[in-house]
Amino acid sequence: MINAGVLGSPISHSLSPLLHTTAYRYLGVEGEYHAYEVASGGLADFLLGKGKDLNCLSLTMPLKEEALGVADHVSSISKQIASGNTLHKKDSSWHLTSTDVEGFSFALKAVADFQYDEVLVIGAGATARAVAAACNRSSTTLTVAGRSEKRHNSIRKSAPDATLEFVDWETNLDLDSFDLVVNTTPANAANSFISTVNNPKGVFFEVIYNPWPTDLLERWKSTNAAYVDGLDLLIHQAISQVEIFTGQDIDRPAMAHLLRIEGLKVL
């Protein structure tokens, strides 16, 4: 039986319990999935205490980096991006991986399946590293707008094949000129970029779903240009987690359609 949950802080807004329980019901799999408030620094104690009977875990901030220190086995993709959102127990050992990279790629492909050569990533944290890894091609120029140079090395390790350009947050960027713009910042932190969206040629990818939608996404939608929202990212990374937890191959388009219907009901 799957005895699972999502861990993080804050966690009350998480849609993961809804998505996972819907998926298990659809697949006819016996499973429990709940949300657990676990603050930074608390993952190891949780696994030894309240979470000792759990066998499948989804991780959100601030635990994605912390998980690297508690897992018995770490996948190559988690090592590459120095982050993991998926823990599952096998033979009494915790195995860590990330479905964020795969989830991003599937969500983007479902909306617009073409090559993105000029990519802008707003933000430089754990999610930005997953995006960088998903865009890691020699033909890609990846521009990263962030507030701290301390995160540049981790981005470079996440996308070793791409051409990387780092710019200050205050840089005057033309969002209309990029093939793909990805906002990885929380809430409406990227509102300063709204005025640069007028006639975009590319696709906008908003990785969060709380608030729903962000002001920047609203501006992009008003131009009738293509976009992907945070619900789609959550859905596709969750589908990949469900495949790991259940050991089943899933009809992704059918499952994504079902989960989006359920997710929109509560947003």
Side-chain angles (χ1 to χ4, degrees):
M1 175 180 171
I2 295 172
N3 192 7
V6 59
L7 316 180
S9 182
I11 203 65
S12 60
H13 71 281
S14 177
L15 293 182
S16 292
L18 170 65
L19 299 183
H20 276 258
T21 54
T22 299
Y24 301 151
R25 187 166 58 249
Y26 175 82
L27 296 170
V29 171
E30 186 178 2
E32 295 284 337
Y33 190 105
H34 302 286
Y36 298 91
E37 183 80 17
V38 180
S40 178
L43 180 57
D45 286 342
F46 177 86
L47 295 179
L48 293 173
K50 190 174 182 178
K52 61 183 174 57
D53 295 325
L54 301 177
N55 51 31
C56 298
L57 298 174
S58 307
L59 305 176
T60 186
M61 299 307 292
L63 304 177
K64 291 184 177 184
E65 296 170 346
E66 189 173 324
L68 296 167
V70 303
D72 301 294
H73 305 277
V74 180
S75 71
S76 58
I77 190 61
S78 280
K79 290 178 182 177
Q80 180 179 337
I81 65 174
S83 174
N85 74 333
T86 307
L87 275 170
H88 72 285
K89 190 174 284 186
K90 182 179 179 182
D91 298 327
S92 300
S93 297
W94 283 111
H95 293 250
L96 177 70
T97 191
S98 174
T99 65
D100 283 334
V101 178
E102 186 174 85
F104 175 86
S105 297
F106 275 117
L108 185 56
K109 186 176 181 179
V111 171
D113 187 13
F114 65 89
Q115 186 166 310
Y116 305 89
D117 293 327
E118 297 290 335
V119 179
L120 170 65
V121 179
I122 303 172
T127 303
R129 296 198 297 271
V131 172
C135 297
N136 182 36
R137 295 184 300 271
S138 59
S139 61
T140 300
T141 297
L142 191 64
T143 301
V144 181
R147 298 185 185 276
S148 172
E149 293 184 5
K150 295 179 180 179
R151 296 181 170 183
H152 290 185
N153 266 347
S154 59
I155 295 286
R156 289 191 181 95
K157 291 177 181 178
S158 300
D161 298 329
T163 299
L164 290 168
E165 296 181 0
F166 296 95
V167 298
D168 293 333
W169 189 264
E170 293 77 15
T171 301
N172 186 20
L173 294 168
D174 178 13
L175 269 62
D176 288 355
S177 67
F178 291 91
D179 298 323
L180 174 64
V181 176
V182 187
N183 179 28
T184 70
T185 61
N188 285 307
N191 277 10
S192 59
F193 294 96
I194 288 176
S195 63
T196 71
V197 178
N198 297 291
N199 186 28
K201 70 170 187 176
V203 178
F204 180 74
F205 199 128
E206 177 64 74
V207 305
I208 65 172
Y209 61 90
N210 183 32
W212 172 271
T214 62
D215 294 340
L216 183 54
L217 176 55
E218 285 279 45
R219 176 61 173 262
W220 196 281
K221 288 169 64 176
S222 72
T223 70
N224 295 317
Y227 66 90
V228 186
D229 58 47
L231 178 57
D232 279 337
L233 175 60
L234 182 66
I235 285 170
H236 281 282
Q237 62 88 8
I239 291 173
S240 294
Q241 287 184 336
V242 172
E243 288 184 327
I244 293 170
F245 296 168
T246 65
Q248 295 187 24
D249 291 325
I250 294 174
D251 181 341
R252 186 174 288 268
M255 180 68 79
H257 178 70
L258 170 64
L259 296 185
R260 186 164 180 88
I261 290 173
E262 295 303 310
L264 287 174
K265 290 178 181 177
V266 297
L267 287 175

